[in-house]
Amino acid sequence: MSSSTASQTQAEASAAHPPKPAAGMLSQPKAVWAVVFASIIAFMGLGLVDPILPAIAEKLHASHSDVTLLFTSYNAVMAIAMLITGVISSRLGVKGTLLAGIVIIAIFSALGGLSSGIWSLVWLRGGWGLGNALFVATALSAIVSLSRTGVARSIILFEVAVGLGISVGPLLGGELGAISWRGPFFGVAGLMVLAFLLIAILMPKPAVTAARKPKASLADPFRALRFRALRTFGIAAALYNFGFFTLLVYAALVLGKLGLDEHQLGYVFLGWGLMLAFTSVFMAPKLQQRYGTITSMLVQLLLFAATLFVMAIWTTDKAVLITAVIIAGAFLGNNNTLITTAVMNAAPVERPTASAAYSFLRFIGGAIAPFLAGKLAEWFNPHMPFIVGGAFVVAAVIYLAVNRKHLSHVDAVETGH
């Protein structure tokens, strides 16, 4: 009797996802942890430059709108490169694509540290974005494929890596940037060498392979965008990314003007990233189960928009801005997990293809937003970037609400899962 009960329990544990709580999340092959660690380092690149933006502007004699181009070039190249990640991955394999992405990031971040002008640095950040696109698009599908805990929990694990990378990036950038603005660039290059070794050693080739699948084509992401649900999530992400990158880039410049040095900016955005990571893991799944994916997304985006409007009113109040930046991390962490999970179930296409199509649209918003924020401050006043960023987030909410009937299957899939 007891042996039959034990075998029943074992069968349920291996076949069903719901019975496995937090312990299941940590029960992963070494290859998964290697990809997660490398993802943390890769996502450091997003926030790494944040604390040193004022220093770069000063040392390279650049305007605020000039230094925002470090994010514009990075995101623009990422957006375009997302369209070719499937083609490259289907030929090099997942492991080969991850390693190629890591090598490109290491080379361009090291060259960035050697740069002597703002425009050469902007172009080199674009090259960094190419490496990041290859790595990020492939890392998500690698974690999902290699994980033992199902799609939803694999995505949460990926979002944890995103949150930790985004939070540690500004901290590392602040500490190394206090020595020299070049320090963070060399730091990432060195860490990428470690990531390369981990992936090369711990991730076996046969674990994830596209050998039995037909080669991907450049048209695949565009075909995927014919599905209205996937297109809707992509456009909504492009809109809310205006708010995301206004917070990430422009808020750092404003806080620098208000007297925060590299160390202090690093700690502010560390708090933001930790909130993002915490809510990604612990809050987003509960919101999804209780209220559904779409309703939860709409509420989180509205709360984020409200935070940006608060920042628009109290733009010169250091304490309000710092508090708002950290609190915004909670809303963004929830939304990132919710929308990434939804995208994976939005259309009947391969997950890497869905991720590439969605990311293409998402990073277009991320490319325009930083430069626009810098220009709005120059053309109008320091409050305007936050107002416009908040308005774009509200537009994302309206767009999702209008198209909600085309997204109902996402909630159905999640409930069934």
Side-chain angles (χ1 to χ4, degrees), residues 12 46 381:
E12 286 172 8
L46 193 62
N381 56 61

Side-chain angles (χ1 to χ4, degrees), residues 80-88 90-91 214-227 230 349-350 352-354 356-358 360:
I80 296 166
M82 282 296 173
L83 298 173
I84 62 169
T85 54
V87 174
I88 294 172
S90 67
R91 286 155 176 79
K215 296 285 191 288
S217 78
L218 289 171
D220 287 347
F222 294 105
R223 290 195 194 104
L225 289 174
R226 292 176 185 172
F227 294 98
L230 184 60
V349 296
E350 292 285 332
T353 302
Y358 160 75
F360 167 66

Side-chain angles (χ1 to χ4, degrees), residues 348-417:
V349 296
E350 292 285 332
R351 288 192 180 106
T353 302
S355 178
Y358 160 75
S359 296
F360 167 66
L361 292 176
R362 174 171 59 132
F363 285 113
I364 287 175
I368 299 169
F371 184 67
L372 178 63
K375 283 299 181 185
L376 286 171
E378 290 175 9
W379 293 336
F380 299 100
N381 56 61
H383 310 273
M384 189 58 68
F386 293 121
I387 295 171
V388 173
F392 270 103
V393 177
V394 172
V397 173
I398 295 169
Y399 185 72
L400 282 170
V402 167
N403 288 278
R404 185 167 188 166
K405 63 182 178 181
H406 303 288
L407 310 174
S408 56
H409 66 286
V410 172
D411 275 326
V413 168
E414 291 306 320
T415 304
H417 188 65

Side-chain angles (χ1 to χ4, degrees), residues 319-342:
V320 171
L321 283 188
I322 291 171
T323 304
V325 166
I326 294 171
I327 289 173
F331 307 137
L332 291 168
N334 283 327
N335 186 70
N336 285 353
T337 295
L338 291 165
I339 197 167
T340 305
T341 307

Side-chain angles (χ1 to χ4, degrees), residues 34-46 48 105 128 132 135 161 164-165 169 172 187-196 198:
V35 178
V36 167
F37 177 77
S39 298
I40 292 171
I41 298 171
F43 275 99
M44 283 182 187
L46 193 62
L48 176 101
I105 293 170
W128 188 339
N132 227 49
F135 181 87
L164 289 175
L172 179 68
V188 165
L191 286 169
M192 274 297 163
V193 173
L194 177 58
F196 182 93
L198 284 171

Side-chain angles (χ1 to χ4, degrees), residues 245-262:
F245 281 97
T246 295
L247 180 94
L248 187 64
V249 181
Y250 181 68
L253 290 170
V254 173
L255 286 169
K257 266 190 170 181
L258 293 175
L260 269 66
D261 61 20
E262 291 90 346

Side-chain angles (χ1 to χ4, degrees), residues 3 31 59 62 115 178 186 190 203 244 276 307 330 333 336 353 355 363 372 381 394:
S3 64
K59 301 290 184 187
S115 178
F186 293 130
M203 187 173 177
F244 183 100
L276 190 147
T307 306
N336 285 353
T353 302
S355 178
F363 285 113
L372 178 63
N381 56 61
V394 172

Side-chain angles (χ1 to χ4, degrees), residues 90-270:
S90 67
R91 286 155 176 79
L92 293 182
V94 171
K95 184 175 181 177
T97 307
L98 288 173
L99 293 176
I102 288 172
V103 168
I104 292 170
I105 293 170
I107 290 171
F108 279 96
S109 59
L111 290 173
L114 296 170
S115 178
S116 57
I118 186 63
W119 294 108
S120 61
L121 192 56
V122 166
W123 284 107
L124 290 169
R125 274 284 281 182
W128 188 339
L130 170 62
N132 227 49
L134 291 174
F135 181 87
V136 170
T138 316
L140 177 56
S141 61
I143 290 173
V144 170
S145 301
L146 289 165
S147 174
R148 297 176 181 141
T149 55
V151 176
R153 286 178 181 164
S154 300
I155 289 170
I156 291 170
L157 195 59
F158 179 73
E159 290 298 336
V160 171
V162 172
L164 289 175
I166 288 175
S167 58
V168 175
L171 183 63
L172 179 68
E175 294 302 314
L176 295 177
I179 302 168
S180 165
W181 70 264
R182 301 176 189 276
F185 293 91
F186 293 130
V188 165
L191 286 169
M192 274 297 163
V193 173
L194 177 58
F196 182 93
L197 293 173
L198 284 171
I199 296 287
I201 295 167
L202 296 179
M203 187 173 177
K205 254 188 180 178
V208 183
T209 179
R212 285 180 265 175
K213 296 179 182 178
K215 296 285 191 288
S217 78
L218 289 171
D220 287 347
F222 294 105
R223 290 195 194 104
L225 289 174
R226 292 176 185 172
F227 294 98
R228 188 158 182 171
L230 184 60
R231 188 169 68 248
T232 297
F233 286 128
I235 292 172
L239 291 170
Y240 99 77
N241 257 357
F242 276 83
F244 183 100
F245 281 97
T246 295
L247 180 94
L248 187 64
V249 181
Y250 181 68
L253 290 170
V254 173
L255 286 169
K257 266 190 170 181
L258 293 175
L260 269 66
D261 61 20
E262 291 90 346
H263 289 290
Q264 293 165 329
L265 281 170
Y267 285 118
V268 170
F269 283 93
L270 169 67

